[in-house]
Structures are given as C-alpha cells and as structure tokens.
Amino acid sequence: MGGGQPQVPGTSLPKLAAGPVGQQIHSIYRGRLGQFAGNGQYSSQNLQAAMYEGRASGQEHVKLQVYSPPNLSRPTFEEATSQKFKDTHVGVSFGPSWSTHWIKITLTVPQNLQKKQHLELHWDADNEGLIWTEDGEPLQGLTGGGERIEWVLPDSFRDGKSHTFYIEMACNVMFGNAIGDIIQPPNPNRYFQLKMADIVAVNLEARALFVDFWIIGDAAREFPEDTWEEHQALQRCNEIMDTFINGHGTQDSIIRGREIARKYIGNVDSSRVYESEKEPHVYAIGNCHIDTAWLWPWAETKRKIARSWSNQCDLIDRYPEYRFVGSQAQQYKWLETLYPKLYDRVKSKIKEGTFQAIGGSWVEHDTNLPSGESLVRQFLYGQRYFESHFGERCKTFWLPDTFGYSSQLPQLCRLAGMSRFFTQKLSWNNINVFPHTTFSWVSLDGSQVLCHMAPAETYTAEAHFGDVNRSISQHKSMDQDDTGLLLFGKGDGGGGPTFEMLEKLRRCRGLSDKTGRLPRVKLGDSVDDYFARLEKKAEQGTEFVTWYGELYLELHRGTYTSQANNKWNNRHSEIRLHDIEYLATIATLKDSSYKYPKKEIDDIWEDVLLCQFHDTLPGSCIEMVYRDCDELYAKVLKAGEKLIKGALSALKIDASASLEHELKAVNTLPWPRAEITKMPDSEDYALVSGGPGVAHVQKFSGMSKSSASIAELEEGVFQLSNEHFRVKVEDGAITSLVDIVEARELIPKGQKANQLVIFDDKPLYWQAWDVEVYHIRSREELPPAKSYIVERGPHLVSLCTENQISEKSWIKTTVSLAASVEGQASYIAVSSEVEWQETMRFLKVEFPVDITNSEASYETQYGMVRRPTHYNTSWDMAKFEVCCHKWADLSEAGYGVSILNDSKYGFATAGNLMRLSLLRAPKAPDGHADMGRHHIRWAILPHAGPLDHRTVRTARNFNHPYKLYHGPSTPTDSASLLSSIQLTGSPALILDAIKRGEDDEDISRGELPSRKGRSIIIRIYESLGGKARGCICVDGEVLDVKKIEKVNLLEDDGEEVVFQDGGCKIELRAFEVATFRLQL
C-alpha cells in the first residue's frame, strides 16, 4: 500500500516463447514405433543392432558332424551316437521329409566371448530338434524358422575347452510337412537347410528393453485413443526411441531407455512383480497342446513330447512364478518309456507343484464318436495312471480342442472324481456365439460340472497384451465372476510357452499395477487353484448360469463321417472288448487255472483309446496316421480274437472244433434274442436263439413257421414281404413300405426311401473336418443301373441294385427282409459294397417317412439326445448335420421309424426326411481319405408305439450279429455261469459291461494297492429318459456273491446295497449310469 509495486508470485515459465511447438500427429508418432525393434530396413540402426555383443561360428568354434539313419528310422540316442559321424556344415540341406539326422556338435567358446554376461547357441535349420547332453540326457527342444532357436550355454562351457553335445534333427516343422497351407497333404520330399549354428553373446538389457517396448507399444496401439493411458504409452515409447537415437545406441542409452519404461510398467525384472496385494483378474497358465496325432504320426508325437516338456522344465527353473499344465496319460507313458531321465525331471516338477498333470483321461479324446464304455475307460485308465505315478487323481477334465462335447460327460466326470471342466472350442462356432464363459454344465441325468471357457478364445495364446486384455473384454459371465484363465504357449504341434511370453506377462502385470487399465494378470496359481475359487463362490451363494445337454460345436460336422474305415474299426473294437471282458470274467469263475488276461485287455484298451484322440477318430489326420491306425486295429482285432478263443476254451466251448460237431453260438448281449442267420460254408439258414450266454442253432428243414417272399411285379418293380411288412422297390428305391399289422403306409406318396444321393462337398476351408449348410443345395440322386433278385426265401429275401456313381465309382446295395421271428422286431436290412474314388463329394442315403415331429431322437453314449427337425432359429439350423451312434429315430404319437447302422455316425433329419451319411471324399489333410472299397450296413426299423427299448435292443443286436461255430456240447455249468448275472425289471435298463475288478488280488498288476478277494464289476444305465427300477439277479448255485456295492467309475469303495435271495433291487434316475461291484 502507499504506492509501492504489487507482489507477483514467482514462475518458472519463460516470458518469451523459445519457438514454435507443433502438436504431435498421433498416427505418425504411433506408426514410428515399428522402426525401433523390427527386422526391416532399419534393423542395422535400431535396437536389433544392439541385441548381440559378439558371435562366433565355423568349424573352429562350432564343429558339426552328422549321422543320417536310413529308411526314415528314428533310432534311440544310444543307437545313433554309436554310429560313425561325418563332417557337415552350415548351408547343407537335410531331408527328405520325416527323416532324422543326428548332429554331433563340438563347441569351443572363443576367448573374446568367455567373459560375456550371457551366451547362447543359436541353431536354425527351419525344422524341429532336440538337444542332448553327451551322456544322453535330453535338455531342450528347438523349433526353427526363427522360433525357439536359442539354447543358453552352461557356464562350464566358458573354459575355452571343447564340449560335445548332440542335436536330434527331425525333418518336419511344428505342423508337419505341408508346404504353404498346413492342412494340405505333406510333401514327402521336403528338405531343410541349416542356416545358423552360432555362439552368441546376448545383451540382456537390450533384450529386456525389446520386451519393454513391445508391451508399452501394444498399449499405445490397443488402448482407446481417448484415454490418458494410451497417450502416456505413446509418449514413453517415443521417449525411449529418442533416447536411443540421441545416445547412438550405446549401452547407456539402452539402460536409460529401460528407466523410461519403468515409469509406465514399473520394475519387471523378477517374479516379485506378481507379489503386490492388488487383486488379479486374469490367471495365466502355460500349456502346450500336443496333438497325439494330426499332421504328423505317433512316432513324431513321442519326440514332440520330449522337445516340448524339456523346454518347460527349463523355463520352470528360470522363472519361479511359472506354472505349466500337461495332459494325456498316454503322453506321460511314452515319456516314461522312451525318455526316462526327462520323465524323472518332469515327475520332480509335478511333485513340487510347478508342472501340473491334468485332464484325467488317457488322451484328449473325441467325445462324439466313442461309446459310453470307451468314455469311461478314458477316465479309468487316465486317472489310474495319474494316481499310480504321481500320487493323486486329476480334479479337472481338460479338453480344449475337441469337436463338441457329449451330453453325458458331466455325469461321467463326476463319477470319475472330477467336478471341473475346461475347454474353449465352442468359440469356433461359425453360426452362433456361445453365450457363456463360466457356467454349470448339466448332464442328461442332472449331474453338473463347473465349466470355464478361456475368454481369450484360444488355448495357444502368445501372451500378448491383447490376450490379457481379451481375457476380460470377451468374458461373457462377468455377472457371476470377473476372472478368467489365460492359456498361453505354442500348441497343436507342441512347443509350449517361450521365455519371451513369460517376460511379456511380467510387463503386463507391471503395467496394470503401475499405470492401470489393463486387466491384472497373475502367474503362480494352478488350474485347480482357479477352479477352487470358483467352487468356493458357488458354495457361498453365487449362482452360475446353467447349460443343459450337449455342447454342440457348430463346425467340423464332417468329422462324423470322414475316414469311414477308421470308424468301423473303432466300433468293432469296442464290441470285441465288450465280449472279451464278459467271456474272460465268466471263464475265471469256471476254471481256476485260467488267468484273467488283465495285461492283454489293458493293452488292447490303451490302443483303442489312443485311436480315439480328437483328430484321429474324427478323421482329420494325414494318411500316415491312418496307416498306423490300420496296423494297430489289425493287431487289436487279432489279439481280441485270440483272447475270446482262450476264454471260450476255458468254458469248454471250443471255437476251433471240427465240422463234425454241432453248430453253436454265444449271445454276449444281456437279453435273449433270436435271428435268422446263414450257416457257415452253406446256403442253408438257421434260427439262432437264446441267451444271455449259450444260444441254440436250429437248422431250418423245409418251410419255417413264418416266411419271407419276393416277386417282380413288373420290370424294375419288386415286392418283398413277411408277416410284418410289404416293401415295394422301384429302380432300386423303396416307394412303398406298409406295416401290415398296423395297416399303415410309411413312405409319403411320390417319395422314395433308401434313395442314394450325392452332394458337392467343398467347405469354406477345413476339408476333412467340415460340411457346410449350403451343400444340401447340390443334391443329386444316383440313377440305378439294374436290380435283380439274389435271395428268394423262404427264410430271407434279397434284392440287389447296382448304381454307377461316376466312371471310377460304383455301389451295389442289397435290400433284405427276413422271415418274421416271434418276439423279435422285424426290420428291412440293407448292405452295400462301394467302390469310392471321388473328389470332394458326399454320399448319403435318404428316408422320407410319413411321421410328423418337431424333434428327432438320436442315440448318444448312455442315452439319447433330441434335436430339432426344423430351422426356426439359427441355433436349430446349425444342427443340420449331427452325431448319432447306433440309431436315429423319428416318432410321433403311436408310431415311429428308426434307422440303424453298424458304424456310421453322421445323420440329419429335416422335417420328415431322415438322412444317413455314408462317405465323404476330402483331399486334405489326407489326399486319399476314404478312397477304395467299403462295406456298409444299415436298417429301417418301423415300430408301432413310441420310441422304446425295442429300438435300443434291436440296434445292439444289429451291431452284434451272431457268429456260428462248430463245437461239442456246452457243459451245463458253463452255460449256467454265462447266464448267472442277469438284469430284470424295466427294459429301459441296459447291462452294458461285465468285467473283473481292476485291483482284485488275483489279477492286479500292482499299479495301485490290490483288493482282497475277487469281484465282478457291472455297469448299468437307463436308456430312455425316465426313472427305472430293476433287479440284479445272481444265480446263487453257480456264483457265490457275498455283497454288492454301488461304486464309481474308478471302482472306489462305495455304498453297500441290499442283496438277498439272489437279488439286488435297483432304481436309476433318467439316463443315470450306475456301476456295481459284486464281491465274491
């Protein structure tokens, strides 16, 4: 006051502008980021130029010698290293496809590199390889083609002396040997050039800055542009680039660049980045999905396992936070057998909790096509392996890549000790988006498992910034739980996570804690830890949404049909195993000198389960795989036949007796049945009836009580008749099918059943996998060439029709009608012989029927599934091709028609048109898929009344045709034993399996503690969808049962049930699967 100058607060802002400053053009400064770390035109000036501090190569430092085994053989380490090696060098090409070359490397680190901080061998032959120590320990896999080409050299190599090790080179890439498009058939003459074999000194700070910049750059690219986190990321990246350029790329500029990065991502140089108290939302788990066979054969899978899992053991040693999961008991068994040192290393990691054995099944199997008992054995053999080798069973069923999920899996999981299920394959749907991420999946019987599908919608995430972000942004169940699993690692062809992925995830976590916006990721927890938290939430009241019934994949529908021979082998192997176990079980009761062939049965089951892998049985592997399958199935069926003969012999039923003895048969199904059968080496027919157990063969003499007839009404028009049906065939197709008893015509006027049709079959991409909805528009009927009578009755009549499909392909179809047999369902049987030499065409057979229903029924494992016959919604239309087992049925009130088959799984019902899929002709990945001769059987089973046990039983009978043989009279005690266990009561109850207890002391193989005494395991299920009561009846005169327990699939001690007066009353809920132990 008083006229003085007013006080002005001080400021550091200059009074005068130093010059113009322009606004950053966002797109330009963001586009600039690609200059800093890429391998393009600026790589000699950017961070790439500072990545390595020195390099040594050539014979003086990396001496190379090679042994090339002949004939595409894959010798063991001991076999290969005992051979003579010859000199080789970088630049040499190795091949052809699938060959193996053992490289002996003598490495000497030059003096100028010995004191460098970090030394690696960089090896790139563009193919896969496995590093072995000189004394035969597998160390680490190599991928090639710029991926996983480094091996950290031991410090002991820095002594200036020569050190020897080996690389087992496999002449294939991660995805086999196709050139270009990976699903094309492999090129048999592919060669691989060794491009690099260098000792490299790595600048670890430059490598770390590379990953820092990668993740911050992703934030700049992927965060919304209107967020401060995106702007800050872009500023930090440009600041790092400016610092590097102004510092001329020196080590000091790199270190300062890392300091700038820490402003955005914090300190990320150790596992301590995960130790903050902030709640994570994404739980990252390393995995390396190894297809047990796909674009490579089993022999290469065995080596992929060693390459992949040795990598993961190495990473576990280097990254304390890292947790890895490995599934498939078969793969562990291969590792145990072929790579015992590596197996011991893996086992030690499992014990410490860093390597988690997961899945509970023998392989990651298909779930659409195997029988119910096969699904049980996948769990039984898988869980027994995990328990016997690693001390505990799996709690989580792990199946990320299978082509749809059967409706009974939740029930079987619970019965096998698993309450959790992980997958992600439904994200591949090509019509509808599956609406849930975390949910309760409910089986046909009401059993449930807690299911989680990876929100990132992959099981082979690269651990990118975007993968972490999508683990929440794509989460569809945030109302119930806001966490997700992130599965990262190279997969399908194995490999698994890389060190770069672990480094990226550290930075993602650091970014979340330091800056925010990115979901917080955590490593260090297991899959079981994750599911335990979900189950705890459910316990505390969280109501997870439910999904009832099958998880139908809206893709890969062609896999129900591709590789028909393989599917035939599977179905018939399953049937053979059923019979072996039943007969061998009874034989152990008859003859104390007969030993239940547990090892042989186990071996057969393991082979069949292996062939049910989710690319093998569906038909999406290369041709080499199916050659291997054919050999294995031939062995299975031969061994099975030997075991059956052995069991019959012990029962004094000699299947190899001379022709002088009378004809015999054994009914291995759990109900009496009768059928007309042609006698061996004769044109005569017999009625075979009886069982369970011994069946009687009654040769027809003259006319039987009932008969079948055939007549040509006019040229090209034939009529086949028996007491039940009158069938009119014109030009090879059925134009009339009359149920005589019901006085009902089943074929709509003007339409044709048993009509062969062919379709153009070119899916969008996945040839062996897919058939697309538009294929239906290309329908073409096969014109008949001629029809002629081949069987004139009176016991069986048959009409053969020949069709020319193309110049190279033809089909002979024989329609047969047997004389009616009292008490048995009558059906129209069809057999066909096909010469199939087509390209991208689909053969089907149609059955229009005069039946109306908006749903059709299809047999599935341990039950049936109802699916729409209309296209009301996109969800309905998506099921234009579905999976069935032995039958499909369309019924209305009072009447229905079932279509039976003996090894076909693809089916469609649109309106009243039923269509059975027969053969496809894809050309990738197997260029000769399904080419050649096929024999196919199906049947038309009309039935008065609703769908019921008649269809279920007749379909089983159709798949178990009687086999006749000459033999002496069956001893009474054998006959009694074969029928000593029977199931009475509701006909909906099916006695599906009879076997010995896994750990009975007289047959135990010692994997798990044996149980005292002997026991019989029986498996029963309710087949029609309602509560059913029955009785397990035991013939006490020949079978001394002390008690009966209801047990789980793993045959643990269960609840004892009341057993008195030779009977045990049971009650099963709809579609329940129940297992009982009869303790002897």
Side-chain angles (χ1 to χ4, degrees), residues 822-1033:
E822 186 175 355
Q824 299 295 306
S826 186
Y827 55 80
I828 297 89
V830 185
S831 62
S832 66
E833 181 182 8
V834 190
E835 178 62 28
W836 185 245
Q837 300 291 343
E838 296 302 294
T839 296
M840 301 178 195
R841 303 183 86 192
F842 200 154
L843 181 66
K844 304 187 182 189
V845 59
E846 294 181 341
F847 311 93
V849 292
D850 189 16
I851 302 289
T852 300
N853 200 325
S854 60
E855 290 184 322
S857 300
Y858 304 85
E859 187 186 42
T860 187
Q861 300 96 340
Y862 298 130
M864 62 180 176
V865 177
R866 294 181 177 89
R867 301 183 178 110
T869 61
H870 55 77
Y871 297 157
N872 284 1
T873 70
S874 59
W875 292 89
D876 299 324
M877 187 186 70
K879 295 180 180 178
F880 62 84
E881 180 87 3
V882 298
C883 182
C884 76
H885 277 237
K886 292 180 287 295
W887 56 264
D889 181 87
L890 183 63
S891 291
E892 61 187 23
Y895 208 93
V897 176
S898 300
I899 305 298
L900 318 181
N901 74 82
D902 81 336
S903 63
K904 296 299 169 187
Y905 296 88
F907 209 93
T909 307
N912 69 337
L913 179 62
M914 307 174 77
R915 189 183 287 128
L916 177 66
S917 297
L918 301 180
L919 290 169
R920 298 186 67 225
K923 299 304 174 186
D926 177 358
H928 303 100
D930 283 319
M931 297 299 99
R933 193 65 56 92
H934 298 268
H935 295 86
I936 308 169
R937 296 172 61 238
W938 63 87
I940 308 168
L941 173 65
H943 56 85
L947 168 64
D948 60 20
H949 68 281
R950 293 169 296 171
T951 290
V952 177
R953 291 188 175 191
T954 305
R956 288 219 165 197
N957 296 347
F958 187 74
N959 278 267
H960 287 72
Y962 272 122
K963 181 179 179 182
L964 305 186
Y965 55 89
H966 292 275
S969 297
T970 305
T972 302
D973 57 346
S974 293
S976 298
L977 277 169
L978 284 165
S979 58
S980 60
I981 303 171
Q982 295 198 36
L983 180 62
T984 62
S986 169
L989 295 175
I990 306 295
L991 175 53
D992 194 48
I994 297 178
K995 62 183 283 292
R996 288 293 305 277
E998 288 294 316
D999 296 305
D1000 288 355
E1001 59 185 351
D1002 63 322
I1003 67 170
S1004 171
R1005 299 178 64 193
E1007 316 105 297
L1008 293 169
S1010 63
R1011 301 177 57 88
K1012 288 187 177 182
R1014 299 190 300 168
S1015 68
I1016 297 173
I1017 299 295
I1018 66 173
R1019 197 146 14 253
I1020 299 168
Y1021 73 96
E1022 195 286 319
S1023 62
L1024 296 174
K1027 184 177 290 188
R1029 296 183 178 93
C1031 180
I1032 301 170
C1033 297

Side-chain angles (χ1 to χ4, degrees), residues 444-513:
L444 290 179
D445 78 311
S447 301
Q448 66 175 342
V449 291
L450 195 56
C451 179
H452 180 72
M453 298 188 182
E457 298 186 348
T458 181
Y459 52 88
T460 58
E462 295 279 344
H464 290 321
F465 175 100
D467 293 321
V468 175
N469 201 34
R470 284 187 290 275
S471 293
I472 295 301
S473 66
Q474 295 181 169
H475 201 301
K476 304 183 188 76
S477 302
M478 298 283 280
D479 291 344
Q480 290 80 41
D481 183 74
D482 60 355
T483 66
L485 278 177
L486 172 62
L487 269 63
F488 67 98
K490 305 286 183 181
D492 292 328
T498 63
F499 79 88
E500 294 99 333
M501 295 180 188
L502 291 162
E503 294 288 349
K504 284 188 288 182
L505 289 171
R506 284 182 175 181
R507 285 152 179 82
C508 286
R509 175 55 183 262
L511 188 159
S512 300
D513 286 346

Side-chain angles (χ1 to χ4, degrees), residues 141-205:
L142 300 163
T143 300
E147 285 192 358
R148 210 187 311 263
I149 63 170
E150 71 289 328
W151 174 51
V152 179
L153 295 181
D155 287 340
S156 60
F157 280 30
R158 296 170 180 267
D159 58 4
K161 298 178 182 179
S162 296
H163 297 269
T164 299
F165 58 96
Y166 296 86
I167 293 180
E168 180 187 10
M169 177 193 290
C171 283
N172 52 267
V173 298
M174 189 70 79
F175 290 93
N177 270 312
I179 294 179
D181 183 355
I182 66 166
I183 72 165
Q184 294 307 308
N187 181 338
N189 293 303
R190 190 171 179 180
Y191 282 76
F192 300 86
Q193 185 181 49
L194 177 57
K195 297 176 179 178
M196 183 187 302
D198 296 352
I199 302 170
V200 179
V202 179
N203 182 339
L204 291 182
E205 285 294 321

Side-chain angles (χ1 to χ4, degrees), residues 640-676:
E641 188 65 27
K642 181 179 178 181
L643 293 179
I644 286 176
K645 286 182 177 179
L648 289 173
S649 179
L651 290 165
K652 307 302 181 188
I653 305 173
D654 191 353
S656 59
S658 70
L659 296 178
E660 299 173 0
H661 291 94
E662 61 180 318
L663 281 167
K664 293 291 180 186
V666 174
N667 177 10
T668 58
L669 293 178
W671 46 73
R673 62 185 176 118
E675 64 184 49
I676 295 173

Side-chain angles (χ1 to χ4, degrees), residues 537-596:
K537 290 191 71 170
E539 182 184 328
Q540 294 172 345
T542 298
E543 293 184 330
F544 290 101
V545 297
T546 53
W547 184 274
Y548 281 75
E550 67 181 329
L551 293 172
Y552 176 86
L553 177 65
E554 296 176 1
L555 199 71
H556 294 358
R557 304 168 185 88
T559 59
Y560 311 144
T561 306
S562 297
Q563 298 289 356
N565 184 60
N566 209 51
K567 290 174 169 61
W568 187 96
N569 280 329
N570 175 73
R571 175 81 64 89
H572 286 259
S573 296
E574 291 172 335
I575 291 169
R576 186 68 54 88
L577 278 161
H578 169 276
D579 293 352
I580 291 168
E581 291 183 328
Y582 164 61
L583 294 172
T585 296
I586 301 303
T588 61
L589 307 177
K590 160 71 176 172
D591 185 350
S592 60
S593 67
Y594 173 83
K595 183 170 176 58
Y596 188 80

